[in-house]
Amino acid sequence: MDRIKATNAVAGIAFAAALVAGCSGGQQQGQGGQEGEVPPAAPAPEQQQQQQPPKPDPGAAKAALQQQIDQALQQRPITFEPDTANLTEQGKQTATKAAELAKSAPQELRFTIAGFIANTGTPKPQDQELSQQRAQAVADKFKEAGVPAERLEAVGRGAAQGNQESDRRVEIQVM
């Protein structure tokens, strides 16, 4: 009986040694490691940093986003019904598209939305207020799309220069 216990003990020790050797990778196929060989160390922290992808340049992200927004506004401006802060159907679509671009932008970027009215040649006291309402209408579209209010500034700029149709608009500046 003692002989069986001794044989089982030796078998248990051999099994444990084989298990430890297998876990260390020394006996795995393709490794070619020698018994007692230490596996390679993990890369040093400075090497790990070099392997991580570079962080995007905020200035480049800002410029690229401004270009995308400008292009969208040039193709289809955000326009309003005459003498109101009501967006036209085209204005709603373009404001939503610009808002989606803003929503996906880096969180440190801010947006100034400047509203304008048509220059009729005769300034009226309500011109400034209407331009502010137009800017706010677009800022509201941005908020509906999920852009946080703290990233938005709505500014009324009054009468614009140019033809009346193109003056009922907003401009968006990435800050």
Side-chain angles (χ1 to χ4, degrees), residues 117-119 160-169:
I117 63 155
N119 186 353
Q161 302 301 314
N163 70 59
Q164 289 187 14
E165 184 65 29
S166 67
D167 288 349
R168 291 190 305 268
R169 70 179 195 286

Side-chain angles (χ1 to χ4, degrees), residues 52-117:
Q52 294 175 355
K55 292 184 180 181
D57 175 18
K62 176 183 167 185
L65 179 60
Q66 184 68 62
Q67 183 178 15
Q68 289 176 324
I69 290 174
D70 289 347
Q71 186 175 32
L73 294 178
Q74 188 175 34
Q75 290 173 353
R76 295 182 58 134
I78 298 173
T79 55
F80 298 86
E81 299 294 333
D83 300 319
T84 72
N86 298 330
L87 288 159
T88 62
E89 195 57 41
Q90 172 185 310
K92 289 176 187 176
Q93 291 172 1
T94 305
T96 300
K97 181 178 180 178
E100 290 299 323
L101 290 169
K103 180 179 164 184
S104 65
Q107 295 299 309
E108 65 270 7
L109 294 180
R110 306 282 183 258
F111 304 91
T112 298
I113 302 167
F116 294 91
I117 63 155

Side-chain angles (χ1 to χ4, degrees), residues 113-129:
I113 302 167
F116 294 91
I117 63 155
N119 186 353
T120 59
T122 310
K124 296 179 238 159
Q126 63 269 26
D127 289 353
Q128 182 63 35
E129 182 179 336

